[in-house]
């Protein structure tokens, strides 16, 4: 089968519904600064967390196709909701027809792999979007890989809108973060680690830390996903050779670029000049 996409080496694609994926991209670029990247945020349609399986799948597939059309051979879904609701279908159903040599990787599996070495009590909390929590993806994957670990999840439907609406430093954020941390911790007082199972949540890290008991570790996915990608590229030299090495990053958003760029610049600590794209 001949692919409709260019076979030339290209940047690595990183996708999220919005700003959250930047928390993953930032860590990936620390560990793998030599590669080129294209970041795509579907900010115009975020949050994904309350949307149906079908819609998250359709939006994510559009994003993957867009990144493939830009030449990317490897796409990271830097989004738990998309990883929970769309990744498997895309890997099993769509890739063989789009281009069996391209790859799409998610963030849930590397996080689950890492948690076994982190918890001591075997009681792990997860904060996620309603979609991620309802999908039970973490519960299922952790039960398979670490059957001794007990999972306590809590959905935080207000956290992504706080980030997307630039309210993460507001008193409103304090109210919702405290309420949700208390709700998770009330499920079990022996939880010793909490996974931030949504890539937007590191952008609320200071507030989450403030209301979480000090003895509880808060686990961000960025460093975990970055290490896992590094390992993947070592194990797959055929893919590594298809990733260009210029150290650049292009930013694309489905929102108005002038709305996206200022906040993205703060998150990644350098000036971002984003391009507006339309997904269909
Ligand atoms: N940042 C995404 C995640 O990791 C999606 C958040 C959303 O759009 O609701 O789940």
């Amino acid at each position: 089968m001949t692919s409709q996409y260019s076979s030339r080496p290209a940047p690595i694609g990183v996708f999220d519904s919005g700003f959250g994926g930047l928390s993953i991209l930032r860590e990936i670029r620390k560990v793998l600064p030599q590669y080129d990247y294209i970041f795509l945020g579907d900010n115009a349609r975020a949050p994904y967390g309350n949307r149906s399986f079908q819609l998250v799948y359709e939006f994510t597939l559009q994003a993957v196709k867009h990144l493939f059309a830009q030449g990317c051979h490897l796409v990271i879904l830097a989004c738990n909701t998309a990883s929970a609701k769309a990744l498997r279908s895309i890997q099993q159903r769509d890739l063989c027809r789009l281009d069996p040599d391209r790859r799409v990787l998610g963030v849930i599996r590397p996080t689950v792999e890492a948690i076994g070495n982190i918890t001591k009590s075997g009681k792990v909390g997860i904060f996620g979007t309603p979609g991620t929590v309802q999908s039970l993806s973490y519960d299922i994957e952790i039960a398979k890989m670490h059957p001794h670990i007990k999972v306590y999840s809590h959905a935080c439907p207000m956290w992504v809108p706080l980030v997307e609406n630039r309210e993460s430093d507001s008193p409103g954020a304090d109210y919702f973060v405290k309420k949700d941390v208390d709700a998770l911790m009330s499920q079990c007082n022996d939880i010793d680690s909490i996974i931030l199972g949504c890539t937007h949540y590191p952008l609320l890290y200071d507030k989450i830390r403030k209301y979480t008991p000090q003895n509880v570790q808060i686990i961000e996915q960025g460093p975990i996903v970055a290490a896992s990608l590094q390992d993947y590229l070592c194990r797959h030299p055929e893919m590594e050779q298809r990733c260009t090495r210029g150290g650049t990053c292009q930013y694309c958003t489905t929102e108005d670029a002038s709305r996206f760029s200022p906040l993205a610049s703060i998150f990644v600590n350098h000036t971002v000049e984003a391009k507006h794209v339309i997904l269909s």
Side-chain angles (χ1 to χ4, degrees):
M1 183 192 122
T2 40
S3 170
Q4 55 187 308
Y5 304 113
S6 161
S7 61
R8 281 203 305 256
I12 297 171
V14 178
F15 167 70
D16 182 37
S17 63
F19 289 113
L22 297 172
S23 70
I24 301 286
L25 176 70
R26 197 175 49 199
E27 298 305 318
I28 291 179
R29 292 192 77 197
K30 276 188 202 158
V31 176
L32 299 166
Q34 66 272 38
Y35 297 107
D36 295 308
Y37 298 91
I38 301 180
F39 178 83
L40 170 59
D42 191 7
N43 301 72
R45 300 187 293 192
Y48 279 13
N50 300 317
R51 295 189 186 274
S52 67
F53 261 83
Q54 184 57 26
L55 220 44
V56 172
Y57 163 68
E58 280 170 21
F59 289 174
T60 305
L61 183 59
Q62 288 172 2
V64 166
K65 286 198 211 163
H66 178 86
L67 288 166
F68 284 177
Q70 302 307 301
C72 302
H73 294 265
L74 178 61
V75 171
I76 311 298
L77 299 185
C79 175
N80 289 266
T81 311
S83 300
K85 293 183 158 193
L87 179 62
R88 183 162 302 195
S89 305
I90 291 174
Q91 285 174 334
Q92 294 181 352
R93 234 174 35 205
D94 299 300
L95 272 186
C96 53
R97 132 184 102 74
L98 293 172
D99 182 341
D101 291 331
R102 286 176 207 252
R103 288 290 172 269
V104 181
L105 307 175
V107 289
I108 294 180
R109 201 182 164 84
T111 309
V112 168
E113 278 168 8
I115 192 66
N117 294 325
I118 296 174
T119 175
K120 301 274 176 293
S121 70
K123 309 277 193 299
V124 171
I126 317 262
F127 285 128
T129 64
T132 299
V133 169
Q134 281 156 21
S135 75
L136 299 177
S137 296
Y138 275 99
D139 310 59
I140 294 166
E141 292 299 321
I142 290 178
K144 270 195 233 153
M145 218 176 284
H146 314 290
H148 63 287
I149 294 180
K150 183 141 177 49
V151 176
Y152 300 87
S153 333
H154 180 74
C156 310
M158 292 305 291
W159 291 14
V160 172
L162 285 167
V163 172
E164 288 291 318
N165 291 294
R166 299 136 178 92
E167 290 287 342
S168 24
D169 289 327
S170 68
D174 278 277
Y175 171 81
F176 285 110
V177 169
K178 179 174 185 329
K179 185 171 166 231
D180 289 318
V181 169
D182 289 349
L184 176 64
M185 292 310 299
S186 72
Q187 293 185 40
C188 169
N189 55 18
D190 207 16
I191 292 173
D192 70 353
S193 329
I194 296 179
I195 297 172
L196 300 186
C198 169
T199 57
H200 279 69
Y201 296 174
L203 306 168
L204 287 163
Y205 182 89
D206 290 347
K207 296 218 185 293
I208 300 169
R209 184 66 277 174
K210 180 170 157 195
Y211 295 110
T212 302
Q214 285 310 310
N215 60 328
V216 176
Q217 286 192 72
I218 297 171
I219 300 157
E220 297 182 68
Q221 298 178 291
I224 296 173
V225 174
S228 162
L229 177 59
Q230 186 175 36
D231 177 56
Y232 177 86
L233 291 172
C234 283
R235 287 185 291 108
H236 295 276
E238 76 295 346
M239 180 56 82
E240 199 277 337
Q241 280 155 21
R242 285 187 264 148
C243 302
T244 51
R245 292 167 163 252
T248 66
C249 186
Q250 303 166 50
Y251 295 88
C252 307
T253 176
T254 54
E255 234 310 353
D256 181 344
S258 65
R259 266 176 66 76
F260 175 86
S261 300
L263 195 61
S265 305
I266 297 170
F267 293 153
V268 294
N269 271 330
H270 62 84
T271 307
V272 166
E273 280 185 29
K275 194 172 100 189
H276 174 251
V277 296
I278 294 170
L279 298 180
S280 58

